[in-house]
Amino acid sequence: MVERNPFVTVIVTGVPGVGKTTVLTHVASILDGEGTAYVLANFGDYMLKVAKELGLVSHRDEIRKLPLRKQLELQEAAARLIREDALSKLGSDGVLLVDTHTVVKTVTGFWPGLPRGVVLELKPDAIVLVEAAPEVIVSRQERDKTRDRRDIGSVEKVAELMQMARIAAMASATLVSSSVFPVENIEGNPRAAAEKIVELVKMLR
Ligand code: ATP
Ligand code: AMP
Ligand code: MG
């Protein structure tokens, strides 16, 4: 039998700049409003913390440029720490939301964000694919001066990565029988995608 966590687990993914982190702040505020217990874990935050402790990077957009075996160590550490945090904070009526990627564009090629080791640790019920038109994503990247997404910063590169992200989502889902749930992050209305994700959460148990 496929194992599940006591709490519902949803992994929210999408190409850099599509708006995952933004949409998830709205999911969090909806769950706060209804009094649902949740843990919102940004996978990159966990990787960044470990990477900084090891003196490997100073900014999150440098992580995907590290040697691949270093990224693998950070990825495995992040998955383990997120699971430990969620298990210590959530009961069976809670929700774990993980903000991450099904594929990461590294200098060594397209690399799975949710390989076997990671999905076996997190045991997602569903993998959400946040999407938008490539032109819209590029304009969001350009407006966001807090990040350096130049390595994925053209319509062609975003479209290619979106295609890889869909393939990678289904491949990861197959390993642990998760559903794959595409949702559009509409320009000017991130709350609409958040509401769809909250509806999804209700249908998983
Ligand atoms: P990364 O994977 O690099 O962390 P992300 O998917 O988490 O990226 P965000 O940081 O949430 O992306 O959003 C990127 C930019 O797009 C931000 O400036 C954010 O304010 C903006 N944005 C997000 N959603 C929308 C939306 N629905 N309409 C307009 N702007 C948006
Ligand atoms: P983010 O803020 O979501 O872009 O995360 C910061 C960085 O962390 C990403 O650009 C990746 O280098 C790394 N990262 C996040 N999630 C994963 C993952 N599941 N696997 C590998 N690297 C990841
Ligand atoms: Mg983000």
Side-chain angles (χ1 to χ4, degrees):
M1 281 298 287
V2 177
E3 247 192 282
R4 287 290 183 247
N5 290 317
F7 41 85
V8 165
T9 302
V10 176
I11 302 186
V12 176
T13 70
V15 302
V18 70
K20 299 175 294 297
T21 305
T22 305
V23 167
L24 279 166
T25 61
H26 291 273
V27 171
S29 92
I30 296 170
L31 295 178
D32 280 334
E34 35 174 76
T36 302
Y38 66 90
V39 164
L40 172 52
N42 183 304
F43 202 102
D45 284 353
Y46 284 77
M47 288 180 71
L48 182 61
K49 183 167 186 289
V50 179
K52 279 185 170 169
E53 283 163 7
L54 296 172
L56 296 172
V57 299
S58 53
H59 191 275
R60 59 196 308 120
D61 287 308
E62 294 167 13
I63 299 172
R64 61 182 176 273
K65 291 157 191 158
L66 287 169
L68 197 61
R69 287 191 185 185
K70 284 278 178 258
Q71 293 187 58
L72 177 60
E73 275 174 40
L74 300 172
Q75 186 190 54
E76 292 190 336
R80 203 170 49 245
L81 292 168
I82 290 171
R83 179 173 151 78
E84 281 169 14
D85 260 8
L87 281 170
S88 72
K89 289 178 188 157
L90 291 174
S92 59
D93 53 354
V95 183
L96 169 62
L97 299 157
V98 183
D99 179 344
T100 189
H101 302 261
T102 59
V103 65
V104 177
K105 189 171 182 180
T106 73
V107 287
T108 69
F110 297 107
W111 185 54
L114 303 174
R116 185 168 171 275
V118 173
V119 281
L120 288 181
E121 196 76 48
L122 297 178
K123 304 183 181 66
D125 295 280
I127 299 172
V128 173
L129 268 173
V130 180
E131 296 187 328
E135 297 77 9
V136 171
I137 297 172
V138 169
S139 77
R140 286 179 193 160
Q141 291 178 343
E142 283 167 357
R143 285 200 306 270
D144 182 2
K145 304 297 178 203
T146 66
R147 301 290 303 264
D148 180 2
R149 303 180 177 107
R150 282 173 297 180
D151 51 332
I152 319 135
S154 71
V155 171
E156 294 72 26
K157 284 179 183 167
V158 166
E160 181 184 40
L161 193 56
M162 284 178 70
Q163 193 184 4
M164 297 304 282
R166 283 187 162 204
I167 294 166
M170 210 59 234
S172 298
T174 301
L175 297 170
V176 281
S177 294
S178 314
S179 64
V180 172
F181 187 78
V183 60
E184 190 187 354
N185 181 16
I186 298 164
E187 183 66 11
N189 190 9
R191 197 166 173 100
E195 283 167 358
K196 292 210 168 115
I197 293 170
V198 172
E199 280 168 30
L200 164 72
V201 166
K202 313 283 178 221
M203 294 305 295
L204 289 172
R205 193 189 288 286

